[in-house]
Amino acid sequence: METITSFSPGLAVLVSLLGALMILISGRRPNIREGFSLLAGITKFGIVASMIPVVMSGKLIELRLWDVLPGLPIMFRVDAFGLLFGLIASFLWIFTTLYSIGYMRTLKEHAQTRFFFCFAIALSSAIGIAFSANLFTLFIFFEILTISTYPLVVHIETPEAMKAGRKYLLYLLTSGVFLLFSIIAVYHYTGTTDFAFGGIIAGNGIPANMVILLFVTFMIGSAKAAFMPFHSWLPSAMIAPTPVSALLHAVAVVKAGVFVATRIILYIFGIDVMSETGLALAMAYVVAFTIIVASLFALTQDNLKKRLAYSTISQLSYIILGVAMLTPAGITGGMMHILNHAFMKITLFFCAGAFIVASGKEKISEMNGIAKQMPFTMIAFTVGALGMAGTPITAGFISKWYLLIASVEISQIPLLLVLLASTLLNVAYFFPIIINAFFKKPERELSYKEAPLFMLVPLLLTALISIIIGIMPDEPLALVSIAVQNLIGGT
Amino acid sequence: MVLEMIFAKYNYIIYITLMTIGFYGMIGKRNLIKKLIGMSIFQYSIFLFYVSAADVSGGTAPILLKEPAVYVNPLPHVLILTAIVVAVSTLAVGLSLVIRIYREYGTLDEDKILELSK
Amino acid sequence: MITDHLPILLIIIGFFGAFFTPIIGMIRKKLCSPWATFITMLQFLISLLLLYNVLAAGNLSYWLGGWQPPWGIEYAVDILNAFVLVIVAGVCFLVSIYSRKSLGLEVPGKEIPLYTLYIVLSTGMLGIVITGDVFNLYVFLEISSLAAYALIALGGRQSAMASFNYMIMGTISASFILLGIGYLYVMTGTLNMADLSILLPGIYGRPVLLVAIALIVVGLSIKTALYPLHTWLPDAYTHAPSAISALLAGTFTKVGIYALIRVMFTVISPSYVIETVPVMSMLTWLAAIGILAGSILAIAQYDIKRMLAYSSVSQIGYIILGVGLANNIAMTGGILHILSHSLMKTGLFMVSGAIIYRTGIKNIYQLKGMGKKMPYTMGAFVVGALSMIGIPPTVGFASKFYLAWGALEAGKWVFVIVILLSSLLTAVYFWRIFENVYFGVHETEEIKKDEAPLSMLIPIVIFAALVFLAGIFASIPIEVIKIWVIGVLP
C-alpha cells in the first residue's frame, strides 16, 4: 500500500494544542478566548478534511516524529478508519464550541478558561488517538485524554463532583495501567507496537493462554469504551457540564475507548487470531450482554443525562459487537455506528443541555409538556431518539441494518435477537419522554423559552446531519469500505 | 579446637565484642550521650580490626633498612588515621547536636524528647 | 592540558570553594550564596565536559599525584559515573540558585556555615561518584554525610533530633561499609576498584567475601534508605530546611545507589552477585516491598514534605528493583530512574519549599486555592506529580516503562504488578493535593496572585521543563545508559 509522508496529522494534533495555549493566554478576555477556540476548531477540521482525498484514493499518510524511547517513536498514520474518527471528533468540536459558548455564558459558569483550555487539550489527544500509528503513541494520547478531561468532569467542584471525579480517575487510570501492561507485553513478545492490517500477534509463538490474558488486559485497558462491567464511571461523569457530556462522553472519550478497542481487535490481534481463539465470539456475547443490561438500566433513570449515559453504554457496544463479528458487514456496521451514534447522541445531549439552560430541568419526570415551550429542541430530540431506535431514514438505521446482516451471516441467532430486543428497549426508554413532552400537560404553567441561538443552532444542525447521513450514506460508507477492504482484502 | 581458634584470632573476638557493645549502646540506650559513646566504641572497634589485621608478628616499621626484614604494611594504619579523623568529626557533630537538643528540650532522654516533640 | 585534569579539578574546585566561603562571607555575607552557585556551576560544567569526553573518547582514568594505581588513588570515569555526576552537579547547581531566598528565610543569618557545608556536601557527593578507590569512596561518603547532618540540623525545632537519628544510622552504615572494605582489603591487598575486580574472582569461593558483600550491601542500603532501613529519611527530609530537603532528595540517596551499582557490578562481577549469591534477588524483594510500603505510608501523611519523603522511599525502591533485576532493560530503567527521580523529587521539594516560603503552610489540606495564588509553582508541581505517577510524556513514564518491561523480561510477574499498582497508589496521594489546590474554592473570595520570587521560580520551572523534555526525548539518556549497561551485562 502506498504511503506518503506529510505533516498534516501532526499539524492536526498541534493546532488545538496551540489553541489551548492561546486560550490560556487570552483567558481574561472571553471574546478573544472563544474566538481562538473556534478558530482552532475550524482550522483543525480543515486540516483533517484536507486528508480525505488522499485516503479516499487508497493511500496512507504517515508522519514519523522522534523516538521517545528507543524503537518506540511518536508516529502518526492516517488510514480510513482513523480519518473517520478524526473527522467526527474535529467536526463536532466546532459545534460543541459554539454550543458551549452559549451554555457556559448563559449559566455564568466559573473557570471558563480552564474549561476551554482542557477541552482543547482533550480534543488534541482525541485526534492523536485517531491518527496514532502504534500503540505507544496511542497510549500517550490516551493518558493525556484521561488527565485533561478530569478538570472538566469535576468542573462544578461540589463534593459530589469531586467524588465522581475520583471514580472517573480510578476507572480510567486503572484501565490505563492495564493498557500499559498490555502494550509492554506486546512489545516484549513481538518487538513492535505498530498497527498492522493483519494484526501483529500472529506468528510470534505467543502461548495461547497468554494471548487470551493479553486480550483480557487489553479490553480492561480500553475501559474508556464503558462496556460492562467497566461502565460505571460514565453515568457518574454526567455531573460534568453538558457540553462536556455531549462531546467527550458521547463522542471523544468513550469513542476513543471504542476506537482503541477496535484498533486492538482488528489491528493488533487481527481477524485470524480473533476467530481462531474464539475470543471474538466471547467478546460479542459480553457486549451483547452490555447492550441489553445497559438499556434496562437506562429505563430506570429519571435524570435525563444519566439515561443518555446508559444509552451510550448500550450503543457503544453495538460498535464493538459489529467489529467482533469479524465479517465485512459487521465491521462496516460497527464503524458506521461510530459516525452515526456521534451525531445522534450529541444531538440528544445538546437537547438535554438546552433543557437545563432554558428551564433548569434535569429530570425526565419534570419535562411534561416541555415541547410547547421548546418545540425546536424537542423536534431535534425526537430525531435523535428515532435514530437511536434505528428508524429508517435516520442515520441509526444504516448501521443497524449492517449489524443485522452480519449477525445473520455468522448465524448467531442470539445476537440477532439482542439487536432486535435492544431496538424495542430504545423505544421503551426514549418514547415516553417524547410523548410526555408533546402531549402531557405540565403541572404548572411554564414560562421559559427556547435556549439561546448559540445552543439551538448547533443542535438543529447535528439533528439535520444525522438525517442527511441516513438518506445519503454514500460518502462515509465509501470511507468505511476502504477501511474494511484494507482489513479483509477484497469484497 | 574451638578454644585454639579463639586464641589464634583473639583480635577478631575482641573487635566483635566491642562492636556488639557499641551497637547495643547506639540502639539500646535511651540517653543521647550514651548513644554517642556507643557510636564511638562501635567505630573504634572497626579501627582495631584494621590495625590488628595488618599486623605481622615480629615485623618492624617499613623504614629503609640495610638488609631485608619483615615489615608491617603501613597502609591500613594510614587509612585508619583518616578514619579516626572522620570518627572524631562525627563525634563533634554529634555532641554539638546533643547540645542543641538539650537547649531545645531540656532533657537528653530520647523517650521524653519524642513526647515533647509531638 | 587542563582538560586532562578535569576529574581532580571537579573535587579541588569544590574544596577550594568551601575553604574560601568563610573568607568571602567575612567581606559580605550576601556573597556566600552567589559564590556557592558559582562553584557548583563550575562543577556542573566540568561534569558536562566529562560526560562529553567519556562519550567521545571512552573511559578516563586519572591518577592522583601521578601515582600509578593500584598504589595511588585513581579517579576512574566511565559513562555511569559521568551520567550520575551530571545529575548530581546539575541538581546542586540549580538548588543553590533556589536556596538563596528559601534558606534566607528559613535559616536567617547563617549564610557562612550554610554555604560552606553546601559546597562540601556537593563536593563529597561528586567525590563518591568519581572515585575509583573503595577507601576513598568511604571517606567521601563520610565527608558528605557529615555535611548533611549539619545542614539538616539547621532546620526547625525538631531538626536536631532528626539529624541525630540520621547520624546514628549513617554512622552504622558507614562503619559497615568501612568494615566490608576492610575485609576486601585483607583478602586482596588492594583498594583500587579495577584491581579488586581482577583479584576478587580468585577468592569467589571464600565465605569471608560473603561477609564483606553483606556488610557493604547493608551499609549502602541504609544510605539509600532502602526499605526497611529507611527510618532516618522521613524525619530528616521533613525537618531539614526546604532547600536542603530538595538537594538531599535529588542527590544523596542516588549517590548511595550509584555506589551500590558500582560495587556490585564493577568491583564484584554481575554473574557472582546474580547467580552464585542471591544478593540481587534479595534486594529486589526488599525493593518491591519498599515500593508498596512507601506509597502506602505516603498516603497516610498530611505534611507535604513528609509525604514526599515517604514517596522517595517508594521511588528508591523502583531504582533498586531495576538494578536488582539485573537484566539489561530493567537496569537501564533503574539508572534512568535515578535521573527521573532526581528531576521530579527535587522539583517537588522545591515547590513545597516555595509554598512554605510564601505561606508557611505544610499541611496539604490547607492548600486550598494555591492553584490561583501560585499558578506557575503549582503548575510545576502538577508536572512533577504526573511524572511520579508515570503519565506520559514525562520522564517518570519512560523509566516506569523500562522497569515494567525489564520485570517482564525477567519473567517476574509479581514485580510488574507491583510497579503498576504503585503508580495507582502514587496517583492517590498526589491527587489529594490536586483536589485541594485546584478545586473547591471558586465560591470563596477572590484570591490574589502571590507567586514565589523569581530566583525560586526559575529553578522550579527549569525542573518541570526538564521532567517534560527528558520524557519526550527519553531515548537520548536511554541510549547513553545502554552503552554502559550492555558493557556490564552482556
Side-chain angles (χ1 to χ4, degrees):
Chain A
M1 192 166 306
E2 204 180 334
T3 53
I4 47 174
T5 303
S6 150
F7 278 106
S8 311
L11 279 180
V13 174
L14 201 64
V15 75
S16 42
L17 279 181
L18 284 179
L21 202 65
M22 297 314 292
I23 289 167
L24 207 58
I25 291 170
S26 59
R28 291 187 184 283
R29 275 158 294 175
N31 287 330
I32 298 178
R33 179 186 67 200
E34 263 97 298
F36 275 123
S37 223
L38 208 56
L39 185 70
I42 291 166
T43 322
K44 193 184 195 80
F45 178 65
I47 295 171
V48 177
S50 74
M51 287 184 268
I52 297 178
V54 182
V55 174
M56 287 295 249
S57 65
K59 292 175 193 152
L60 298 176
I61 301 173
E62 240 181 33
L63 176 65
R64 188 192 168 109
L65 299 172
W66 67 93
D67 284 21
V68 170
L69 299 174
L72 290 168
I74 295 241
M75 187 166 163
F76 298 114
R77 189 185 296 128
V78 185
D79 61 358
F81 180 45
L83 186 66
L84 180 75
F85 180 51
L87 277 172
I88 298 167
S90 58
F91 185 59
L92 288 177
W93 189 29
I94 304 175
F95 289 97
T96 316
T97 307
L98 284 172
Y99 181 83
S100 17
I101 294 169
Y103 184 89
M104 301 301 277
R105 289 195 177 178
T106 318
L107 290 184
K108 297 197 177 56
E109 284 279 353
H110 70 110
Q112 292 192 19
T113 306
R114 182 178 80 198
F115 177 86
F116 284 106
F117 173 74
C118 290
F119 223 117
I121 301 229
L123 250 294
S124 258
S125 26
I127 298 294
I129 290 171
F131 294 160
S132 296
N134 55 35
L135 277 172
F136 183 74
T137 313
L138 185 134
F139 180 75
I140 292 177
F141 288 109
F142 209 61
E143 291 287 275
I144 298 174
L145 186 61
T146 305
I147 302 295
S148 61
T149 46
Y150 171 79
L152 297 171
V153 171
V154 300
H155 187 84
I156 58 170
E157 298 182 13
T158 56
E160 303 91 73
M162 299 313 286
K163 215 172 139 207
R166 266 174 237 150
K167 192 172 188 183
Y168 183 76
L169 268 185
L170 175 72
Y171 272 82
L172 296 194
L173 282 183
T174 312
S175 81
V177 163
F178 276 94
L179 187 60
L180 176 62
F181 165 78
S182 326
I183 292 171
I184 294 173
V186 164
Y187 187 54
H188 172 67
Y189 283 115
T190 66
T192 175
T193 64
D194 275 5
F195 297 122
F197 289 119
I200 57 173
I201 293 280
N204 278 296
I206 307 175
N209 48 3
M210 190 63 208
V211 172
I212 292 169
L213 176 75
L214 265 181
F215 184 75
V216 172
T217 55
F218 259 127
M219 286 304 123
I220 298 174
S222 44
K224 274 198 176 79
F227 45 79
M228 287 182 176
F230 312 110
H231 67 284
S232 84
W233 62 269
L234 184 61
S236 312
M238 286 302 133
I239 198 148
T242 312
V244 176
S245 310
L247 184 65
L248 297 179
H249 298 139
V251 180
V253 177
V254 285
K255 283 286 157 53
V258 172
F259 180 83
V260 171
T262 311
R263 272 273 196 239
I264 290 164
I265 292 174
L266 297 177
Y267 297 79
I268 293 292
F269 283 84
I271 291 175
D272 297 338
V273 173
M274 288 298 291
S275 60
E276 275 162 26
T277 50
L279 284 170
L281 211 56
M283 190 67 198
Y285 276 96
V286 168
V287 291
F289 172 80
T290 307
I291 291 177
I292 297 297
V293 176
S295 301
L296 291 174
F297 272 119
L299 273 176
T300 65
Q301 302 296 323
D302 190 32
N303 183 309
L304 180 57
K305 277 172 76 182
K306 285 213 169 150
R307 188 174 285 197
L308 290 177
Y310 277 106
S311 153
T312 305
I313 296 172
S314 150
Q315 294 283 332
L316 288 172
S317 294
Y318 277 35
I319 300 168
I320 301 183
L321 177 61
V323 171
M325 289 195 279
L326 297 178
T327 63
I331 298 172
T332 309
M335 288 184 178
M336 274 306 280
H337 204 61
I338 293 185
L339 170 75
N340 300 343
H341 176 253
F343 279 96
M344 300 180 305
K345 196 41 80 50
I346 207 167
T347 309
L348 291 173
F349 268 112
F350 279 173
C351 294
F355 294 143
I356 293 173
V357 167
S359 70
K361 301 225 155 89
E362 289 185 36
K363 292 205 171 137
I364 294 162
S365 51
E366 294 166 350
M367 288 180 185
N368 295 342
I370 207 167
K372 206 164 241 168
Q373 261 64 34
M374 305 173 71
F376 292 110
T377 312
M378 206 54 220
I379 287 169
F381 188 88
T382 311
V383 170
L386 286 173
M388 284 290 155
T391 327
I393 82 149
T394 60
F397 173 69
I398 311 282
S399 32
K400 206 161 261 189
W401 178 249
Y402 276 105
L403 292 178
L404 288 170
I405 291 177
S407 68
V408 175
E409 270 177 359
I410 60 167
S411 47
Q412 288 289 336
I413 302 307
L415 295 180
L416 179 74
L417 291 178
V418 163
L419 285 168
L420 293 174
S422 145
T423 306
L424 285 178
L425 283 167
N426 268 300
V427 172
Y429 63 75
F430 275 126
F431 279 50
I433 308 175
I434 299 168
I435 291 166
N436 291 348
F438 277 104
F439 304 114
K440 238 188 189 166
K441 284 238 165 73
E443 287 120 34
R444 278 176 282 121
E445 204 56 34
L446 301 173
S447 58
Y448 46 83
K449 283 206 188 97
E450 285 283 4
L453 276 183
F454 259 129
M455 299 170 69
L456 195 59
V457 173
L459 70 87
L460 288 175
L461 279 176
T462 50
L464 189 65
I465 292 171
S466 61
I467 292 181
I468 292 176
I469 297 174
I471 301 170
M472 301 184 290
D474 298 344
E475 292 296 317
L477 265 177
L479 200 59
V480 168
S481 74
I482 291 174
V484 175
Q485 264 172 31
N486 287 339
L487 280 166
I488 295 177
T491 8
Chain B
M1 200 48 202
V2 178
L3 269 180
E4 256 172 48
M5 212 181 81
I6 290 174
F7 282 121
K9 305 220 166 171
Y10 66 95
N11 57 330
Y12 285 84
I13 305 299
I14 290 174
Y15 109 78
I16 286 174
T17 316
L18 280 176
M19 202 174 156
T20 322
I21 293 170
F23 198 72
Y24 169 73
M26 285 160 95
I27 305 295
K29 291 288 173 191
R30 308 312 293 166
N31 185 299
L32 298 186
I33 294 287
K34 285 183 184 165
K35 272 176 184 270
L36 284 181
I37 294 171
M39 188 179 87
S40 288
I41 297 174
F42 187 73
Q43 286 177 306
Y44 283 88
S45 71
I46 294 166
F47 304 161
L48 283 178
F49 156 72
Y50 261 80
V51 174
S52 64
D55 183 55
V56 180
S57 42
T60 63
I63 303 165
L64 203 59
L65 295 173
K66 291 271 161 61
E67 68 254 35
V70 182
Y71 68 91
V72 176
N73 183 355
L75 190 62
H77 300 103
V78 177
L79 296 180
I80 287 318
L81 271 181
T82 318
I84 287 172
V85 174
V86 170
V88 169
S89 336
T90 314
L91 189 62
V93 171
L95 285 171
S96 55
L97 281 174
V98 167
I99 292 170
R100 257 204 61 192
I101 292 169
Y102 189 75
R103 279 192 194 140
E104 201 80 64
Y105 299 99
T107 173
L108 286 177
D109 189 306
E110 200 185 8
D111 295 327
K112 281 185 189 155
I113 293 169
L114 278 179
E115 237 168 68
L116 285 170
S117 59
K118 256 174 199 164
Chain C
M1 268 304 288
I2 189 94
T3 50
D4 294 340
H5 294 284
L6 281 178
I8 191 64
L9 264 179
L10 188 68
I11 306 301
I12 296 274
I13 285 178
F15 286 130
F16 167 85
F19 185 76
F20 278 96
T21 315
I23 298 170
I24 285 174
M26 268 186 260
I27 305 167
R28 280 196 69 176
K29 267 192 174 181
K30 291 259 179 259
L31 284 176
C32 286
S33 141
W35 173 249
T37 306
F38 174 68
I39 295 292
T40 45
M41 185 188 73
L42 285 181
Q43 290 178 324
F44 179 49
L45 291 178
I46 293 174
S47 305
L48 281 176
L49 266 178
L50 280 172
L51 180 61
Y52 174 79
N53 283 351
V54 169
L55 286 176
N59 298 353
L60 301 173
S61 163
Y62 182 85
W63 302 345
L64 250 65
W67 288 92
Q68 191 186 345
W71 297 283
I73 292 172
E74 181 196 11
Y75 283 0
V77 188
D78 63 5
I79 290 175
L80 179 68
N81 299 33
F83 182 74
V84 179
L85 280 179
V86 171
I87 297 172
V88 171
V91 170
C92 289
F93 166 54
L94 286 169
V95 172
S96 79
I97 300 174
Y98 167 90
S99 70
R100 189 170 63 89
K101 289 262 178 178
S102 175
L103 290 176
L105 182 86
E106 289 179 33
V107 194
K110 289 202 180 139
E111 282 87 350
I112 299 172
L114 234 171
Y115 284 103
T116 313
L117 290 167
Y118 189 103
I119 300 174
V120 171
L121 174 58
S122 106
T123 311
M125 290 190 295
L126 295 174
I128 298 173
V129 180
I130 202 169
T131 187
D133 182 286
V134 278
F135 191 80
N136 206 233
L137 186 138
Y138 160 79
V139 173
F140 277 122
L141 202 65
E142 281 291 48
I143 290 176
S144 51
S145 301
L146 284 169
Y149 306 147
L151 282 170
I152 289 169
L154 286 169
R157 186 163 172 265
Q158 298 173 32
S159 66
M161 198 57 209
S163 171
F164 187 86
N165 286 332
Y166 181 21
M167 191 191 70
I168 297 284
M169 288 295 275
T171 307
I172 295 176
S173 126
S175 304
F176 277 174
I177 294 166
L178 180 62
L179 197 54
I181 291 171
Y183 275 122
L184 289 181
Y185 179 70
V186 168
M187 286 181 289
T188 61
T190 179
L191 291 167
N192 182 283
M193 288 180 186
D195 211 27
L196 274 171
S197 69
I198 297 167
L199 291 175
L200 279 179
I203 52 160
Y204 272 172
R206 287 172 58 181
V208 193
L209 181 62
L210 291 185
V211 177
I213 292 176
L215 286 168
I216 293 178
V217 168
V218 172
L220 287 174
S221 301
I222 297 175
K223 278 282 170 226
T224 56
L226 175 65
Y227 188 88
L229 301 170
H230 68 284
T231 47
W232 58 270
L233 183 139
D235 276 336
Y237 284 12
T238 312
H239 301 303
S242 305
I244 302 303
S245 310
L247 179 69
L248 292 177
T251 54
F252 209 37
T253 47
K254 311 300 170 306
V255 167
I257 291 168
Y258 159 80
L260 192 65
I261 298 174
R262 179 59 77 197
V263 172
M264 291 299 133
F265 293 98
T266 305
V267 176
I268 305 161
S269 73
S271 62
Y272 186 72
V273 285
I274 298 163
E275 284 149 27
T276 320
V277 190
V279 184
M280 284 298 138
S281 71
M282 251 166 49
L283 282 180
T284 49
W285 284 103
L286 286 179
I289 297 168
I291 291 174
L292 293 178
S295 303
I296 291 166
L297 286 167
I299 293 173
Q301 307 304 321
Y302 52 85
D303 181 308
I304 185 166
K305 279 169 80 179
R306 190 172 277 271
M307 187 197 92
L308 290 175
Y310 276 111
S311 139
S312 276
V313 173
S314 147
Q315 298 288 321
I316 287 158
Y318 279 116
I319 305 177
I320 307 246
L321 180 59
V323 173
L325 283 169
N327 60 42
N328 74 65
I329 295 156
M331 186 82 164
T332 308
I335 298 173
L336 180 67
H337 206 66
I338 295 182
L339 171 72
S340 326
H341 186 239
S342 288
L343 294 177
M344 312 181 290
K345 208 29 98 37
T346 312
L348 290 172
F349 265 111
M350 292 205 299
V351 169
S352 73
I355 295 170
I356 292 168
Y357 182 82
R358 270 291 176 240
T359 63
I361 295 172
K362 286 179 183 165
N363 188 324
I364 56 175
Y365 293 106
Q366 294 169 358
L367 290 174
K368 286 242 184 289
M370 205 54 79
K372 287 210 177 104
K373 199 176 162 95
M374 305 172 77
Y376 300 110
T377 312
M378 292 323 293
F381 187 86
V382 171
V383 172
L386 290 181
S387 175
M388 296 282 291
I389 301 170
I391 304 288
T394 55
V395 67
F397 167 70
S399 42
K400 241 168 229 189
F401 187 97
Y402 262 72
L403 287 169
W405 181 21
L408 202 64
E409 187 82 29
K412 301 272 170 58
W413 288 78
V414 187
F415 297 144
V416 182
I417 295 166
V418 166
I419 291 168
L420 297 174
L421 181 66
S422 161
S423 329
L424 291 178
L425 293 173
T426 313
V428 172
Y429 60 77
F430 277 115
W431 223 273
R432 287 183 312 181
I433 299 184
F434 293 171
E435 280 187 3
N436 275 300
V437 167
Y438 285 106
F439 303 104
V441 282
H442 65 281
E443 275 163 26
T444 55
E445 81 284 12
E446 196 64 23
I447 296 159
K448 260 199 202 146
K449 200 167 137 183
D450 188 15
E451 197 41 270
L454 269 187
S455 73
M456 293 170 83
L457 191 59
I458 289 172
I460 290 175
V461 171
I462 289 178
F463 271 99
L466 282 176
V467 164
F468 207 64
L469 283 177
I472 294 174
F473 300 105
S475 54
I476 299 168
I478 288 174
E479 294 291 358
V480 171
I481 297 165
K482 259 193 178 162
I483 302 172
W484 186 81
V485 172
I486 288 170
V488 174
L489 298 168

